[in-house]
Amino acid sequence: MIRERKSGIIPSSLLTTSQYDGEDVKVQLLEDQHEKCYICERRLITDFEIEHYRSQKNYPILTNTWSNLFLSCRYCNGKKRNSFDDNIYPSVINIEDEIIQRIDFEKNEAVFLSMIEDVIHRNTINMLHVLYNGRLIHSGKQIIRTIKEKRFFDYTKQIMNNFLEKVNAFLMEPTPANRALVAAELSIEQEMLGFKYWVIRDNHLETEFEDEIVWNKH
Ligand SMILES: [Zn+2]
């Protein structure tokens, strides 16, 4: 997860109709979020849904409020439901700075940590755990994921493996060509920038790529 941009222009259907899912809302959200799910950062082709940051069930008054609407994939929307209403608000806080996001390939799990101990950080981390590591059912040291959870995590690992190969190539040979390959993976349209951000930081490359890792920051 990274900080999201949210347009200050409210789509007109929210003001003139009782719908929250008008075409203009979808178009604006796709543009603001660079066509990615704001939670898992996968590219959305047709499988996108309007997600209520604060759920319709618990906060019905916010159902049609622009600042409460984000675009997510069906997988994330289904996992979040009404269970995680008090998360970090995505377009105000630099989530990538406040939540450490890593893939532990050896243990086959995603790891999320924060220096800040409060409800919104804890809830966001709990939600990310459920998304990436399944329902937190451990059998010995093995995480048991459903088939959907496994496919979701395998896809994340595939993207991150590809990125790690490019970062390692740059660390071995810091040529302009190898640098360009890493930089291209960090553009705002790319997937999994929250995880990539921590690969850059863990390898002390944040100065080298400082221009590339400023997504949506002001
Ligand atoms: Zn998603």
Side-chain angles (χ1 to χ4, degrees):
M1 281 185 93
I2 60 166
R3 180 186 183 132
E4 292 296 334
R5 185 174 85 90
K6 190 138 199 75
S7 163
I9 304 160
I10 300 174
S12 61
S13 69
L14 289 174
L15 305 170
T16 55
T17 73
S18 56
Q19 267 186 295
Y20 67 79
D21 58 352
E23 290 295 291
D24 58 344
V25 176
K26 292 173 191 162
V27 166
Q28 191 61 56
L29 287 174
L30 282 164
E31 187 187 319
D32 285 356
Q33 293 177 214
H34 301 274
E35 306 194 2
K36 294 188 291 182
C37 168
Y38 82 101
I39 300 174
C40 71
E41 292 193 77
R42 289 186 300 169
R43 300 274 300 171
L44 300 166
I45 309 299
T46 54
D47 181 23
F48 54 78
E49 300 184 342
I50 292 183
E51 212 282 313
H52 291 83
Y53 162 70
R54 293 205 193 277
S55 66
Q56 294 182 77
K57 181 168 182 264
N58 297 332
Y59 295 88
I61 199 167
L62 297 176
T63 298
N64 287 37
T65 302
W66 172 235
S67 60
N68 195 44
L69 304 178
F70 289 88
L71 209 63
S72 85
C73 69
R74 191 171 185 182
Y75 177 83
C76 291
N77 198 9
K79 293 275 189 192
K80 184 170 173 287
R81 285 202 194 136
N82 320 317
S83 312
F84 301 101
D85 275 334
D86 293 311
N87 285 348
I88 297 175
Y89 185 68
S91 64
V92 170
I93 290 173
N94 299 331
I95 298 180
E96 65 271 29
D97 284 318
E98 299 198 359
I99 305 277
I100 298 169
Q101 303 163 58
R102 294 189 179 113
I103 302 289
D104 185 331
F105 284 91
E106 212 164 287
K107 288 187 178 163
N108 201 37
E109 65 181 313
V111 179
F112 305 100
L113 303 163
S114 181
M115 300 299 161
I116 305 165
E117 300 231 348
D118 62 12
V119 172
I120 61 166
H121 288 77
R122 199 161 48 242
N123 271 350
T124 306
I125 285 174
N126 286 344
M127 178 187 73
L128 290 169
H129 264 296
V130 170
L131 284 166
Y132 289 89
N133 298 328
R135 290 159 299 164
L136 303 176
I137 300 168
H138 290 66
S139 167
K141 285 181 181 172
Q142 192 77 35
I143 289 172
I144 299 173
R145 295 182 174 89
T146 64
I147 189 73
K148 272 195 181 178
E149 289 162 352
K150 184 179 181 307
R151 289 176 70 89
F152 175 84
F153 188 59
D154 285 349
Y155 181 71
T156 307
K157 283 196 298 186
Q158 181 193 320
I159 298 287
M160 291 311 296
N161 254 322
N162 175 53
F163 181 62
L164 282 166
E165 273 176 27
K166 290 174 179 171
V167 170
N168 287 333
F170 175 72
L171 289 169
M172 300 277 280
E173 281 184 81
T175 61
N178 281 342
R179 190 196 182 286
L181 290 175
V182 175
E185 286 285 329
L186 295 171
S187 73
I188 189 76
E189 298 83 19
Q190 295 289 334
E191 300 185 312
M192 323 289 174
L193 295 176
F195 286 110
K196 289 175 179 174
Y197 183 70
W198 282 94
V199 170
I200 293 295
R201 287 191 58 168
D202 288 342
N203 286 286
H204 311 292
L205 292 171
E206 58 266 49
T207 310
E208 176 69 39
F209 292 100
E210 63 185 351
D211 293 337
E212 282 84 4
I213 57 172
V214 289
W215 321 287
N216 304 324
K217 287 182 181 174
H218 303 287

